[in-house]
Amino acid sequence: MLPRLVVLLAAFLSRRLGSDAHGTELPSPPSVWFEAEFFHHILHWTPIPNQSESTCYEVALLRYGIGPWNSISNCSHALSYDLTAVTLDLYRSNGYRARVRAVDGSRHSNWTITNTRFSVDEVTLTVGSVKLEIHNGFILGKIQPPRPKMAPANDTYESIFSHFREYEIAIRKVPGNFTFTHKKVKHENFSLLTSGEVGEFCVQVKPSVTSRTNKGMWSKEECISLTRQYFTVTNVIIFFAFVLLLSGALAYCLALQLYVRRRKKLPRVLLFKKPNAFIFISQRPSPETQDTIHPLDEEAFLKVSPELRNSDLHGSTDSGFGSTKPSLQTEEPQFLLPDPHPQADRTLGNGEPPELGDSCSSGSSNSTDSGICLQEPSLSPSTGPTWEQQVGSDSRGQDDSGIGLVQNSEGQAGDTQGGSALGHDSPPEPEVPAEQDPTAVVFRGYLRQTRCAEEKATKTGCLEEELPLTGDLGPKFRGCLDDEAGLHPPALAKGYLKQDPLEMTLASSGAPTEQWNQPTEEWSLLALSNCSDLGTSDWSFAHDLAPLGCVAAPGGLLGSFNSDLVTLPLISSLHSSE
Amino acid sequence: MKLQCVSLWLLGTILMLCSVDNHGLRRCLISTDMDHIEESFQEIKRAIQAKDTFPNVTILSTLETLQIIKPLDVCCVTKNLLAFYVDRVFKDHQEPNPKILRKISSIANSFLYMQKTLRQCQEQRQCHCRQEATNVTRVIHDNYDQLEVHSAAVKSLGELDIFLAWIAKNHEVMSSA
């Protein structure tokens, strides 16, 4: 019985003692330590084992070497406490000591003291912020030291750690996560050379003080993107300089070209008057002909019908430009070509079919020359070749008077007499052809006065016939000559065209060109021999032809050939000197 | 002319004295590698200071004793404190941990080297101890005597950082090469 009571008493007492010990004994926090940054001092502790909800912690602080412990917090449920406010002079004193104990109701544990004296050496160095900029291919960085709010105004990072501040910089390019480039700088401003690389760069900074053993903490990563700069100031300046240079060069070349190509003025001495085409032609010198002034034959003038005087033909004072006016066709011929052998001429003239038509009269507009009326060959027998005879008679060295006589009807024989008197020296002669040839040919425009003005019976006949050098065939020869003469003028005449009825017959044959060429050549030879070689016995006909009119104009034939008749005034052509 | 000569002579003398004075101190302690001592201390600081059970008592920082020392007394005080540590603290401390003992030994050797260089400077130049410097030295010794020897030694070893910080402050130019 007694042993049982002793056992129960012992159990009861042990339980009681245990509860007391448990109540009084409270485990103290295992460890207490400071985790401090620049003016950010936090006291940390580990919780007690088996802590209850009512367990709290008491914090006390002691300034090393001075005074009692100061209780900072009576009951803190957290496991850390900010002691910055009570440790502001940490950086100028020898340090602090702190202690913590658990409190649970009335019970409290033992104090747990920090192992080390909390001093400046235990502050972890940090960086406030890092700012990156790109400038001319460099990354410029600026490190901002920490600026805590609780720090006194005089206690700055730079003032406390005044010397030997250092920063370690870690750079990495974004694609590579583990490739860092480290660099140490001794100032808050630094620059990084990217060496032309483009992309995103991230930078981290860790501060340190070389004279201290303080640990440093890596800052937050700051990234910046680097793109290829094309529009840098340097590039823009160079570009504009090039543009200015190029434009200057172009302007210079343009100015030079304009100056070179400017309209230059010729010196006055080199200026020539633009010659009048008409005047130039009229002034064309005839190498062989000489300007001869033929006095007017007054008798010839007297025979001019009053109508004709007032006609336009009279009005034309020039050498016959004018005209193919139909009015002249009906008018009587102004001048008649003299016929030295009227009988022969008549025969010739009669025999020859009047092939001349009123081509000039009717449609003389076909004349392409200036004032020359080409009588189109026509088979109208009505128009007799009176003009032919007259022309033939007048062809003796008569130059082109410049008067165009248009073949007229037969009823104007009288008038033709006057017309034929042009260039004819012998006054009575015009009367003869006028009587013999009732039909007078009035030419319009310019008339070429052929030497052999005999009528050409047939051009073919003349062509076939050889040119005998006998006087018997004089008339014929003349006719042939006339024929040839008639043929020649149109080829050689440049201003005036001989209006020769024989010529027209030749034209009507159908092969004008060919036929004309032959007599032209022959006639040219004859003309040359006739006129230029007067007196020579080579050609008998030349001698015979001499009085016809060759003498009159020694160079007249050639002159007529060259058709410089344009220059000869009308007056000069009226009279042919003999 | 005479006035100018005299003024120039005075200026030159002053400059020479200043340079000699500063240069001497700087030159004396310039070769000491303070960083090595500080690093060694940091490794044993936690172990040493954990053994200090009297946080409200200090030996070196009583009434900011080291803070009020004038520059003229720096040489004397530095010499006295180096002797204090070498002659009393390192000898009184019994360290069971070999790693900590190695670090303490390296610190003690560095102090001995500093004493030797300072003794050479002292022979060449004047390193007189004034009364103020002597008073400061006596206070420190009194504080050390008030505690139990082992506790005092441990506390003094724990306050090495104060002594090293004071040396770096008063000899700033030479603290880190």
Side-chain angles (χ1 to χ4, degrees):
Chain A
M1 181 85 166
L2 186 62
R4 205 178 270 180
L5 288 173
V6 172
V7 169
L8 288 170
L9 187 63
F12 178 74
L13 286 170
S14 62
R15 188 177 289 179
R16 186 72 183 261
L17 287 168
S19 62
D20 289 339
H22 186 71
T24 56
E25 289 291 329
L26 197 65
S28 59
S31 61
V32 179
W33 68 95
F34 272 98
E35 285 183 2
E37 292 176 11
F38 190 70
F39 278 103
H40 187 69
H41 316 141
I42 310 297
L43 184 67
H44 293 266
W45 59 88
T46 54
I48 58 173
N50 300 327
Q51 70 170 7
S52 60
E53 294 178 358
S54 61
T55 304
C56 61
Y57 299 92
E58 188 176 351
V59 178
L61 184 70
L62 177 66
R63 193 182 179 119
Y64 182 76
I66 298 170
W69 287 93
N70 297 323
S71 179
I72 304 302
S73 170
N74 289 329
C75 186
S76 172
H77 292 274
L79 297 176
S80 63
Y81 198 84
D82 189 359
L83 296 175
T84 307
V86 292
T87 57
L88 292 176
D89 60 348
L90 179 70
Y91 306 96
R92 302 187 189 281
S93 66
N94 295 324
Y96 292 88
R97 284 269 189 154
R99 65 180 184 178
V100 175
R101 71 174 178 179
V103 176
D104 189 357
S106 61
R107 295 184 301 157
H108 44 267
S109 65
N110 291 333
W111 288 102
T112 303
I113 303 172
T114 55
N115 289 334
T116 59
R117 179 162 43 85
F118 180 58
S119 62
V120 181
D121 298 335
E122 291 189 13
V123 174
T124 303
L125 301 175
T126 55
V127 169
S129 64
V130 179
K131 291 180 183 176
L132 299 175
E133 283 180 355
I134 295 171
H135 185 69
N136 287 342
F138 283 87
I139 295 177
L140 299 177
K142 190 174 181 181
I143 300 167
Q144 183 73 21
R147 295 276 185 265
K149 296 177 185 177
M150 298 191 71
N154 298 331
D155 292 338
T156 60
Y157 186 89
E158 294 90 331
S159 65
I160 291 168
F161 305 107
S162 55
H163 302 285
F164 313 111
R165 292 191 299 275
E166 231 178 50
Y167 301 93
E168 187 177 348
I169 299 165
I171 311 140
R172 75 175 179 92
K173 206 170 176 189
V174 170
N177 288 331
F178 301 102
T179 54
F180 284 93
T181 305
H182 293 265
K183 182 182 174 183
K184 281 203 171 180
V185 293
K186 295 188 178 180
H187 299 94
E188 277 73 19
N189 297 323
F190 64 93
S191 65
L192 304 170
L193 181 63
T194 57
S195 65
E197 294 182 15
V198 292
E200 194 177 6
F201 291 90
C202 293
V203 169
Q204 279 186 309
V205 177
K206 186 173 83 171
S208 67
V209 180
T210 53
S211 62
R212 287 189 169 274
T213 57
N214 293 75
K215 293 178 182 178
M217 186 186 292
W218 284 105
S219 68
K220 197 170 56 178
E221 198 172 55
E222 289 286 334
C223 296
I224 193 164
S225 296
L226 200 67
T227 56
R228 196 171 294 280
Q229 294 276 341
Y230 291 107
F231 294 102
T232 57
V233 175
T234 311
N235 289 351
V236 168
I237 288 169
I238 290 169
F239 173 75
F240 276 111
F242 267 117
V243 166
L244 281 169
L245 204 67
L246 200 67
S247 58
L250 282 171
Y252 177 73
C253 290
L254 192 69
L256 198 67
Q257 288 291 324
L258 286 172
Y259 179 76
V260 167
R261 292 180 185 177
R262 74 181 189 283
R263 195 171 185 179
K264 298 173 186 175
K265 287 185 179 179
L266 285 173
R268 291 187 86 180
V269 286
L270 296 178
L271 287 173
F272 293 101
K273 284 186 179 179
K274 190 177 180 182
N276 192 348
F278 177 72
I279 296 169
F280 180 73
I281 293 167
S282 64
Q283 288 177 354
R284 195 179 305 172
S286 57
E288 297 177 0
T289 57
Q290 294 178 358
D291 293 338
T292 55
I293 300 171
H294 303 282
L296 284 173
D297 191 356
E298 295 181 354
E299 296 179 358
F301 271 104
L302 291 173
K303 292 178 183 178
V304 176
S305 62
E307 295 177 358
L308 285 175
R309 285 172 189 165
N310 297 328
S311 68
D312 294 339
L313 187 61
H314 282 280
S316 62
T317 53
D318 57 357
S319 54
F321 280 110
S323 17
T324 55
K325 293 178 183 176
S327 60
L328 292 173
Q329 294 175 2
T330 55
E331 292 175 354
E332 297 178 358
Q334 195 170 6
F335 297 100
L336 293 175
L337 294 172
D339 187 9
H341 301 279
Q343 296 180 355
D345 295 335
R346 197 184 310 119
T347 54
L348 287 171
N350 292 329
E352 191 176 0
E355 295 182 354
L356 290 173
D358 291 334
S359 62
C360 277
S361 61
S362 62
S364 62
S365 62
N366 294 333
S367 63
T368 57
D369 302 312
S370 56
I372 297 171
C373 174
L374 288 173
Q375 291 187 345
E376 292 180 2
S378 59
L379 298 175
S380 58
S382 59
T383 57
T386 55
W387 184 87
E388 294 176 0
Q389 293 175 1
Q390 294 167 1
V391 169
S393 62
D394 294 337
S395 65
R396 291 177 244 165
Q398 292 178 354
D399 298 333
D400 191 356
S401 62
I403 298 173
L405 296 175
V406 181
Q407 188 176 5
N408 204 346
S409 58
E410 298 176 358
Q412 295 177 353
D415 296 336
T416 56
Q417 291 180 3
S420 63
L422 288 172
H424 184 63
D425 297 338
S426 57
E429 288 183 355
E431 297 177 0
V432 175
E435 297 174 359
Q436 295 174 351
D437 301 327
T439 60
V441 177
V442 177
F443 289 89
R444 291 177 285 115
Y446 297 95
L447 173 65
R448 181 164 183 169
Q449 296 177 348
T450 58
R451 293 172 189 75
C452 306
E454 303 298 331
E455 58 87 18
K456 296 85 183 167
T458 54
K459 63 177 184 348
T460 55
C462 285
L463 289 171
E464 290 174 359
E465 289 178 3
E466 295 180 359
L467 299 170
L469 301 175
T470 57
D472 297 336
L473 295 174
K476 284 189 182 177
F477 181 73
R478 289 195 212 103
C480 293
L481 287 174
D482 290 338
D483 197 358
E484 294 163 356
L487 293 171
H488 182 67
L492 293 179
K494 293 176 187 175
Y496 300 92
L497 181 64
K498 176 184 176 183
Q499 294 174 349
D500 195 354
L502 181 61
E503 173 189 343
M504 296 304 151
T505 55
L506 290 170
S508 65
S509 64
T513 309
E514 296 175 0
Q515 291 171 355
W516 285 352
N517 287 335
Q518 292 175 5
T520 301
E521 293 173 2
E522 292 173 348
W523 189 74
S524 63
L525 290 171
L526 290 169
L528 284 168
S529 61
N530 289 334
C531 295
S532 61
D533 301 333
L534 289 171
T536 56
S537 59
D538 294 339
W539 300 91
S540 60
F541 67 90
H543 183 69
D544 294 336
L545 289 173
L548 289 176
C550 223
V551 180
L557 278 175
L558 291 175
S560 63
F561 284 111
N562 294 331
S563 70
D564 289 329
L565 304 171
V566 178
T567 58
L568 294 175
L570 178 64
I571 298 171
S572 62
S573 61
L574 290 173
H575 178 75
S576 59
S577 62
E578 291 181 350
Chain B
M1 283 296 289
K2 280 190 177 178
L3 187 64
Q4 287 179 0
C5 289
V6 168
S7 61
L8 284 171
W9 182 79
L10 281 171
L11 186 65
T13 306
I14 291 165
L15 287 171
M16 207 164 74
L17 285 171
C18 291
S19 64
V20 164
D21 189 13
N22 293 334
H23 187 63
L25 284 172
R26 263 184 257 117
R27 192 178 63 186
C28 284
L29 295 174
I30 199 166
S31 60
T32 307
D33 187 5
M34 296 299 292
D35 292 338
H36 174 70
I37 300 171
E38 287 181 0
E39 287 176 6
S40 299
F41 176 75
Q42 288 296 330
E43 291 174 10
I44 61 170
K45 176 186 175 181
R46 186 177 289 277
I48 296 295
Q49 288 182 354
K51 294 177 182 179
D52 185 11
T53 57
F54 302 100
N56 55 351
V57 178
T58 179
I59 295 172
L60 294 177
S61 62
T62 305
L63 297 174
E64 307 291 340
T65 49
L66 291 177
Q67 308 300 332
I68 59 175
I69 291 171
K70 292 180 182 147
L72 289 173
D73 301 325
V74 169
C75 180
C76 178
V77 173
T78 305
K79 184 181 68 175
N80 293 339
L81 285 177
L82 284 172
F84 165 73
Y85 270 96
V86 170
D87 298 335
R88 294 188 75 172
V89 176
F90 292 131
K91 286 180 178 181
D92 295 338
H93 182 70
Q94 302 291 332
E95 181 59 48
N97 193 329
K99 288 183 181 180
I100 299 171
L101 185 61
R102 192 191 312 174
K103 296 296 178 184
I104 294 171
S105 298
S106 67
I107 295 169
N109 289 331
S110 299
F111 277 16
L112 286 170
Y113 183 76
M114 285 168 68
Q115 265 186 321
K116 188 177 178 181
T117 54
L118 204 60
R119 201 173 292 123
Q120 289 175 359
C121 295
Q122 188 178 2
E123 290 172 0
Q124 294 174 3
R125 291 165 180 77
Q126 290 183 351
C127 192
H128 296 295
C129 289
R130 298 191 309 164
Q131 188 62 40
E132 294 170 357
T134 306
N135 291 341
V136 168
T137 306
R138 193 174 66 247
V139 167
I140 290 170
H141 279 275
D142 292 339
N143 292 338
Y144 186 81
D145 294 331
Q146 289 180 0
L147 292 175
E148 190 262 329
V149 174
H150 295 290
S151 301
V154 167
K155 185 175 279 299
S156 298
L157 285 174
E159 291 179 359
L160 270 173
D161 59 341
I162 298 172
F163 179 52
L164 294 172
W166 181 85
I167 290 172
K169 180 181 175 183
N170 285 278
H171 305 276
E172 250 181 80
V173 180
M174 68 180 180
S175 61
S176 61

